[in-house]
Amino acid sequence: MSLRINDTAPDFTAQTTHGPISFHQWIGDQWAVLFSHPKDFTPVCTTELGYMAKIEPEFTKRNTKLIGLSVDPVENHSKWVADIEETQGATVKYPMIGDTDLAVAKLYNMLPADEAGSSEGRTAATNATVRSVFIIGPDKKIKLMLTYPMTTGRNFDEILRVLDSMQLTAKHKVATPVNWKNGDDVIITTAVSNEDAEKTFPGYKTIKPYLRVTKQPS
C-alpha cells in the first residue's frame, strides 16, 4: 500500500504496552506521532526512545500523543523500557506497539505487503526500513512522513518544530519559511489577496508580489 501526505492514516488494532488499542479511536481529537523501530534493544533506538520520553511534555502541550512501534513482542518492550530508563535517565510513559505479525509495518508501507513470516528470527538489518516517523492530524490524515537510516539518530526537536508549523498553518492562512522557529515571521499564502492581507495581517511586508511576510499570528 502506497501512502502519501493527506492520505487517511490506516486504522488498525494492536497490542501495546498500555494494552490493546484501536488506532483512530486512540488518537481521538488530538494529533499523534507514530515512530517505529526495527528491533528492541538496539543502541540508536534506545537513545531515541529515551529522548522522546524526556520531551513528551512538549508534545502534550501541543495536544499531541506519542506512540512507538517495534516488531518485537510487547513483553520485550517492557524489558527494554527498563534499559532505557537506566541508560537514558527517562521513563517511557507513552505506549509501544508490539507488531509481531508485521501487520502495522506493512500497512504503513515500512515493509513490503508480501513480506513473509513474523518478527521471529528477524534482525534489525532485515527490518531496516522500519525507522519512520508519521505525524497524523485530528482528522486522521497523514501530515508528515520521514524515514531515517539505522545509523542516524532522529532529530525529534525537528518533529516539534514541524508540528508547531503545521498547527499554526492549519489555523491561519500562512506558511513558514526555511529554518522557521516558533515566534519567527511567517509568509502569507498566495491564496490571500492584498486587500484581505491588509485586514488580516496589517503592516505586512511585500518582498515580491508572491512573497509577503508578516509577524506570526498569536
Side-chain angles (χ1 to χ4, degrees):
M1 179 181 180
S2 178
L3 292 176
R4 296 178 177 86
I5 287 176
N6 289 328
D7 282 352
T8 298
D11 197 12
F12 59 85
T13 57
Q15 291 296 324
T16 79
T17 50
H18 290 192
I21 66 161
S22 177
F23 190 50
H24 282 192
Q25 185 178 40
W26 176 82
I27 294 173
D29 60 357
Q30 296 181 267
W31 293 69
V33 176
L34 167 64
F35 60 112
S36 62
H37 304 271
K39 196 78 179 162
D40 288 5
F41 306 104
T42 48
V44 173
C45 294
T46 297
T47 65
E48 292 173 336
L49 287 159
Y51 189 73
M52 280 297 250
K54 289 177 183 176
I55 66 171
E56 185 178 12
E58 290 299 322
F59 287 96
T60 302
K61 288 177 189 175
R62 293 160 173 83
N63 194 35
T64 302
K65 292 181 170 182
L66 302 180
I67 189 163
L69 175 148
S70 173
V71 302
D72 286 328
V74 167
E75 51 267 30
N76 286 17
H77 295 353
S78 299
K79 297 173 186 175
W80 192 15
V81 163
D83 279 5
I84 293 164
E85 183 170 3
E86 177 187 348
T87 62
Q88 307 303 307
T91 301
V92 175
K93 297 178 181 178
Y94 51 81
M96 294 172 61
I97 297 164
D99 192 28
T100 54
D101 59 0
L102 313 179
V104 181
K106 294 176 185 178
L107 197 60
Y108 277 75
N109 204 33
M110 294 181 280
L111 287 173
D114 59 358
E115 188 82 6
S118 67
S119 64
E120 187 69 29
R122 295 181 68 90
T123 66
T126 54
N127 298 332
T129 51
V130 188
R131 275 189 55 71
S132 296
V133 180
F134 298 88
I135 297 182
I136 298 158
D139 58 359
K140 312 304 184 292
K141 302 290 186 182
I142 295 172
K143 307 299 183 182
L144 172 140
M145 300 185 294
L146 289 172
T147 301
Y148 286 71
M150 284 175 51
T151 52
T152 302
R154 286 170 272 199
N155 185 338
F156 289 116
D157 291 334
E158 168 66 1
I159 301 304
L160 277 172
R161 188 191 76 89
V162 174
L163 185 61
D164 282 339
S165 172
M166 291 191 296
Q167 292 184 342
L168 176 70
T169 59
K171 292 179 181 177
H172 303 280
K173 293 179 179 180
V174 298
T176 55
V178 62
N179 294 333
W180 173 88
K181 293 180 181 177
N182 197 9
D184 289 351
D185 289 353
V186 296
I187 296 167
I188 302 170
T189 65
T190 55
V192 179
S193 68
N194 286 339
E195 183 181 2
D196 287 341
E198 289 285 1
K199 298 174 184 175
T200 308
F201 308 106
Y204 75 87
K205 181 181 178 182
T206 300
I207 300 171
K208 290 286 185 181
Y210 58 86
L211 181 55
R212 298 166 297 171
V213 178
T214 188
K215 298 292 184 184
Q216 177 180 318
S218 58

